[in-house]
Amino acid sequence: MLLLWRFLILAASLLTMSVVSCATFLPLHRAFPLNHTLELDQLRARDRVRHARLLQDVVGGVVDFSVRGSPDPYLIGIDGSSTPLLYFTKVKLGSPPREFNVQIDTGSDVLWVTCSSCSNCPQSSGLGVQLNYFDTASSSTAGLVPCSHPICTSEMQTAATECSPQSTLCSYSFQYGDGSGTTGFYVSDTFYFDAVLGESLISNSSAVIVFGCSTFQSGDLAKTDKAIDGILGFGQGDLSVISQLSSHGVTPRVFSHCLKGEGNGGGILVLGEILEPGIVYSPLVPSQPHYNLNLQSIAVNGQLLSIDPAAFVTSSNRGTIVDSGTTLAYLVQEAYDPFVSAVTAMVQPYATPTIYRGDQCYRVSNSISEVFPPVSLNFAGGASMLLKPEDYLIRVGYPDEAPLWCIGFQKVQGGGLTILGDLILKDKIFVYDLAHQRIGWANYDCSLSVNVSVTSSKDFINAGQMSVSGSSSDMLFKLFPLSIIALLMHILALMNLQNFVI
């Protein structure tokens, strides 16, 4: 009996410690796609709009978010719209809390949602989701951010924050390169998340953050077929949710995602660090508005391509960025041409090269994994990103046609950015470690559970199917739906206390 009580005391202390240091999460889900197809030129057009919308001026437990969206660039909305679905998730804001569907965007900073007073804003969505509007008067905890707030002082003021003489409210205006944009004012209110200890142990948590309330939208943002409640920016600026929660001591300054490339799509988004033995890290290029990495070389089937390293050097209009809002992947011409030539030469005995609507494609009778070579993108710090054929090829046409696979990488002519979009990001764990200014990755089946670091009171645990990594001893373990006694025995086994003596 004494042993059992010691077990219970030990378990209670562990559970209490874990609740304090658990992480919050947002699960990723798929968003009502239909089996329609799009051509590569339509996907490129969608990405061109996306790239024009990248902000030119960026505002300076584990949280696990359920993510919705499809990894398939050929799936379209239920109204037949031609825009591929991107990944999005739900956030809860206000008191009482209301849910908002927001697009996950590593290319911008601020979380903003549509205000109830918004003009020229969509009233319905072709993505099959119900639109919601934030009403400051209906939330008992909402507060309007005044001009005296630090985000509107001269030290923090940017093109995204402003305080006009006609108003005492701190406002913003995000104008994108394609002519679309949003304007509104900043609000402080409660942001809710789940601190998860196990499948049946969830602690509701919250923190007060500042976010945007959109009162006007234009361009693409005002179109019904693509409408959503807002955008959740995961950039490095002080106003991003990850930065705000980190400054409050709620989460670490790191987030991770794992986007499914097969089946129903979706995946896991965690405000915390996913742990996986195969993860390799490369340092971020400092003082950049986006997530820039130093790409140094490309190898096809282990053979380095002849590419001038200057093609990848970061400058005002060059470099390599990671962007979850881009559907395809983009290579500068100096890298694209030798890449396609090497792949074509290697597969020619087994596949028939052909040009389809301006794209390099191949007629393939066998499985592409048997025909096409592996590719590695080599980054600073000795970190390589290994790509399977599915990571650089896209099947085009309709399912009943003969298999035609096209290079999913798109050529960027006359300089420009090399962009790693969802084509590459899917089926991999990606860790954005802002505290240490690095990005890590590893190939992974994103339908599986993941292990998340719980190393201090600022770290949280995640999900999927709930895997947890330990605290002071850095041990790694998984929680399963067990009875309390089985759970205690499991904890004891992991702590090598099987031979515990009274």
Side-chain angles (χ1 to χ4, degrees), residues 120-368:
N120 200 43
C121 293
Q123 301 298 309
S124 62
S125 173
L127 298 181
V129 296
Q130 180 179 349
L131 298 182
N132 292 310
Y133 306 93
F134 186 82
D135 184 1
T136 56
S138 298
S139 174
S140 61
T141 51
L144 303 180
V145 177
C147 292
S148 58
H149 193 282
I151 70 170
C152 266
T153 62
S154 59
E155 290 79 7
M156 294 185 65
Q157 191 169 0
T158 70
T161 62
E162 55 191 26
C163 208
S164 66
Q166 294 79 22
S167 174
T168 59
L169 296 181
C170 184
S171 58
Y172 67 84
S173 179
F174 301 146
Q175 297 300 321
Y176 302 94
D178 66 341
S180 67
T182 172
T183 59
F185 55 90
Y186 286 110
V187 177
S188 66
D189 208 342
T190 307
F191 174 83
Y192 298 87
F193 49 86
D194 291 329
V196 182
L197 179 62
E199 288 189 349
S200 59
L201 299 174
I202 297 179
S203 173
N204 293 326
S205 301
S206 62
V208 175
I209 65 169
V210 172
F211 57 93
C213 200
S214 175
T215 57
F216 180 81
Q217 294 169 23
S218 61
D220 231 30
L221 295 175
K223 294 181 179 179
T224 298
D225 61 345
K226 309 167 185 180
I228 205 162
D229 296 329
I231 291 179
L232 177 56
F234 273 92
Q236 304 183 61
D238 292 335
L239 283 181
S240 71
V241 170
I242 185 69
S243 294
Q244 291 192 63
L245 292 181
S246 175
S247 68
H248 294 329
V250 175
T251 66
R253 200 159 181 258
V254 54
F255 69 94
S256 315
H257 62 61
C258 196
L259 308 178
K260 293 181 185 177
E262 299 294 339
N264 293 328
I268 300 171
L269 172 66
V270 179
L271 301 192
E273 179 183 0
I274 295 179
L275 298 179
E276 173 65 21
I279 291 181
V280 295
Y281 286 89
S282 184
L284 284 165
V285 180
S287 305
Q288 297 298 312
H290 303 296
Y291 292 109
N292 286 68
L293 293 174
N294 276 312
L295 177 60
Q296 296 179 330
S297 64
I298 299 176
V300 176
N301 204 32
Q303 299 298 311
L304 284 178
L305 302 180
S306 180
I307 303 172
D308 185 351
F312 302 125
V313 173
T314 300
S315 64
S316 59
N317 64 345
R318 279 195 181 254
T320 301
I321 69 171
V322 177
D323 179 32
S324 66
T326 292
T327 307
L328 301 172
Y330 292 78
L331 277 179
V332 291
Q333 183 174 359
E334 301 95 315
Y336 177 89
D337 290 341
F339 169 75
V340 172
S341 296
V343 171
T344 301
M346 195 162 295
V347 305
Q348 220 156 8
Y350 316 101
T352 304
T354 182
I355 302 298
Y356 177 73
R357 297 192 175 183
D359 296 298
Q360 180 61 61
C361 303
Y362 309 87
R363 293 285 181 189
V364 186
S365 55
N366 297 334
S367 167
I368 59 172

Side-chain angles (χ1 to χ4, degrees), residues 40 133 213 229 339 409 417 474 485:
L40 274 172
Y133 306 93
C213 200
D229 296 329
F339 169 75
F409 287 2
L417 292 172
D474 290 328
I485 298 300

Side-chain angles (χ1 to χ4, degrees), residues 28 67 71 87 104 257-262 265-268 324 422 425-429 444 446:
L28 305 172
V67 174
Y87 293 93
I104 299 162
H257 62 61
C258 196
L259 308 178
K260 293 181 185 177
E262 299 294 339
I268 300 171
S324 66
D422 291 340
L425 303 186
K426 63 181 174 59
D427 299 318
K428 295 178 183 65
I429 290 171
Y444 198 77
C446 295

Side-chain angles (χ1 to χ4, degrees), residues 10 47 64 90 159 190 268 323 348 393 402 419 424 481 498:
L10 172 63
D47 279 345
D64 170 6
K90 290 180 181 292
T190 307
I268 300 171
D323 179 32
Q348 220 156 8
L393 293 172
I419 303 176
I424 289 178
Q498 301 95 325

